[in-house]
Amino acid sequence: MPAGTPSPRPWFAFSVDLSPAAARERIPGLPSLPALPDGELAEAMDVDVVYDVPSSVWGGKVARLVDAPGKRLPGLLRRVSPEVWDVVSRLEGPLAEATTSRPVKVITSTGGILSAQAFTPPARGGTPPPGPISEAFLITVAVAAERAGLSAEHVERLQAEAHIVQTIQQAKAGAPPESASPGKKG
């Protein structure tokens, strides 16, 4: 690398950012990204996701990265130039409400361990607002994971989560309100 050339930044993608093209298919009008370098399969250590961030773009709650000792989250490690980093960081907000980045410890498929940045929505104080998890978001994450080459096992788990959430939320939508349940006084 020539002297004075900034080194690439390690970026861990774990959500719809695994394949921004998959998100663009669901959300027309997203700004386009420059060509991204191929990613390396990796896992972020001691983190997981929760679906507690409301998104009007996705019509429900989307994923946020949280500390989870002992857990591993599959994704892609990309090394991007500072110019591409700036574009990616601006896109993450409209893509998945991910307006902050945080360090994560990543283990690569070759066994290397390094620190990378992952984009995530910020933590919100208090109880998450009521509302459904975005089925479209879950489906898109599964498609993005498949396109990114994540393991079939992980893709199948994401697909199953999307199906379970869809089934539960459809059942709740058809259920009478709690106050109207028999035996309860309103």
Side-chain angles (χ1 to χ4, degrees):
M1 185 177 320
T5 303
S7 59
R9 296 183 73 171
W11 166 39
F12 180 74
F14 64 92
S15 181
V16 292
D17 55 4
L18 289 163
S19 174
R24 196 172 298 107
E25 291 167 10
R26 290 278 185 163
I27 305 173
L30 277 176
S32 58
L33 271 177
L36 294 173
D38 289 337
E40 177 182 0
L41 293 176
E43 292 181 319
M45 297 187 290
D46 300 321
V47 294
D48 204 354
V49 295
V50 295
Y51 295 91
D52 66 352
V53 177
S55 172
S56 60
V57 171
W58 285 101
K61 295 177 188 172
V62 298
R64 178 173 61 88
L65 200 58
V66 296
D67 292 331
K71 293 274 199 166
R72 288 189 174 191
L73 179 64
L76 280 183
L77 176 66
R78 289 190 173 108
R79 291 170 174 88
V80 297
S81 69
E83 297 80 22
V84 171
W85 179 264
D86 290 342
V87 174
V88 167
S89 66
R90 285 192 304 272
L91 179 64
E92 286 280 358
L95 189 64
E97 309 291 332
T99 56
T100 62
S101 68
R102 63 167 278 178
V104 291
K105 188 163 71 170
V106 174
I107 184 165
T108 66
S109 58
T110 58
I113 297 177
L114 66 139
S115 181
Q117 291 291 311
F119 290 97
T120 185
R124 307 248 191 319
T127 305
I133 293 173
S134 170
E135 295 169 28
F137 182 83
L138 290 172
I139 292 166
T140 304
V141 170
V143 168
E146 184 173 34
R147 288 185 185 174
L150 271 55
S151 72
E153 178 184 319
H154 183 66
V155 171
E156 289 169 5
R157 185 180 64 79
L158 291 169
Q159 291 168 337
E161 284 177 3
H163 180 71
I164 290 167
V165 166
Q166 180 183 39
T167 301
I168 290 170
Q169 289 180 167
Q170 285 176 350
K172 283 183 178 179
E178 266 192 48
S179 61
S181 295
K184 285 196 173 185
K185 296 187 178 185

